[in-house]
Amino acid sequence: MNNSLSERINSLPTSQTLAMAAKAKELKQQGLDIISLSLGEPDFNTPSFIKNAAIDAINENYNGYTPVPGYDDLREAIAKKLKRDNDLSYEASQVVVSTGAKQALANAVLSLVNPGDEVLLPAPYWVSYDAMVQLAEGVSVEIPTSIATDFKISPKQLEDAITPKTKLLFFNSPNNPSGSVYSEKEYKALGKVLEKHPDIYIISDEIYEHILYEGKTFSFANVPNMYERTITVNGVSKAFAMTGWRVGYIAAPLWIAKACTKMQGQFTSGTNCIAQRATIAAMEAPVSSINYMVKDFAKRRELIINLLSKIKGFKLNKPSGAFYVFPDISYYFGRTIAGVKVANASDFAMLLLEKALVATVTGDAFGAPECIRFSYAASSAAIEEAVKRIAALLEEN
C-alpha cells in the first residue's frame, strides 16, 4: 500500500532532542552505560507542597473536564504571579492555560501566522520553533549569532532581517540552548527597532525565567510600546521540576488569548484537572521556594564549564541562565576520530553517543551547526563521568 500520509507530516522534522533521547534509551536497553546530557529535564523531584496540592485535588474529586482556557482561579493566580515577578498587568481573561508551554507556543503560532508570513528566529533557537512555523505554512528566517556575541542578536541584525512579509519574532531569554540572557538595555534596544514595524508580533518564551544566575528577570511585554504586541509564554516544567505535569500558559492581548482558546478548543480542550490544581500552588509560592534547585544548577554550571574548558577545541561562553552549555566544537570538523570522519555537529554528537556513550544534541537542530548542547540538569557525578569519557575519546586522536 502506498504511503498515504500527508505532505505536512512527511515534511515535518522529528524533534532532535527527543530523537537523541530515544536513541540513548535504545542503547541503554541494549545494556550500554549511557549518560544522557541531552534532555532539558530537571533531575529534582516536584516540591512536596505542589504534590500535596495535587493529592488534595484528587481527594476533593476534581475529575471532570476543565474549561478550555483553564480554571478561573488558576488564571487569576497566574495573573498575580505575572504582576509579582514580572511587573506585568494582565486580567485572568488574558491568560490561557495549555498542556505544556509547547502547546501554548503552537496555539499562538497557528493563531497568527498565515501561509507565506515570515517568522524571525534568532539562532540558536529551541528546536520546535521552526517546526511550528512550518506547520502554519510560514517561512522561518534565521538571524545568526555566534559565541563571540554571546549568542545574542543586535538591533541592526533585527532591522536587516525584517521585510514587508515579517509577521512574528520568536524571543527566548534565558535561552535554550545557549543559556544566554538579554539585559533590560538589550531588550529595549530591540524594542526601538520593532517600534518602527507595528505589524510584527513577539512570542516571548520565558520558560527559564527563574533559572537565572546573573542579572534579573525582564519580560518583553515590559519594553515600551510592546505590551499590546507580545505573547508571554511560560510554564512550570523547568523551574518547578514539573515536566511530566504538562502545564504551560500564555498571557496576551485579549483578542489573541481568545484566538488561542478557540484553537485549543478544537485540539485538546482543557488541561488536566489535577495538574492545574497543583499549578495554583506553584504560582502562589514565592520564588525563594525553588532557590535550592537554582543554587544546585549554578554549582553544576561551574563544574561542567571548568571540565569542558580543559578539552582541546571546545570554545565556551558562560551561560547566565537555563541549564545548558553550548560549546563551539567546529575545531573537530574534517577530522577522523576513533575511525569516524566528523563532517559536522551531528556527526560529532553521534560520535560522543556511540564511542563515549554520552548523549548530547547537535547544534544543527538549533540553527547553530558549529555547536552541540549539553544539559547539566544531571547529577554532578554524571557530569564528571560524561566529560571524563569525552576527554578520553578526544585525547586519543
Side-chain angles (χ1 to χ4, degrees), residues 337-389:
I337 302 168
V340 177
K341 182 70 176 288
V342 177
N344 50 45
S346 295
D347 288 348
F348 192 78
M350 193 56 65
L351 171 78
L352 298 189
L353 179 61
E354 294 179 346
K355 301 297 183 179
L357 305 183
V358 176
T360 60
V361 186
T362 173
D364 287 306
F366 304 99
E370 68 284 353
C371 300
I372 61 170
R373 190 189 79 174
F374 291 85
S375 168
Y376 52 90
S379 70
S380 295
I383 291 168
E384 288 177 348
E385 176 60 23
V387 180
K388 179 181 176 182
R389 293 179 187 183

Side-chain angles (χ1 to χ4, degrees), residues 178-200:
S178 70
S180 298
V181 178
Y182 284 77
S183 68
E184 181 176 343
K185 181 179 179 181
E186 289 167 330
Y187 270 94
K188 290 180 176 178
L190 296 174
K192 285 289 186 184
V193 174
L194 292 168
E195 277 185 27
K196 296 180 285 184
H197 304 276
D199 295 327
I200 298 174

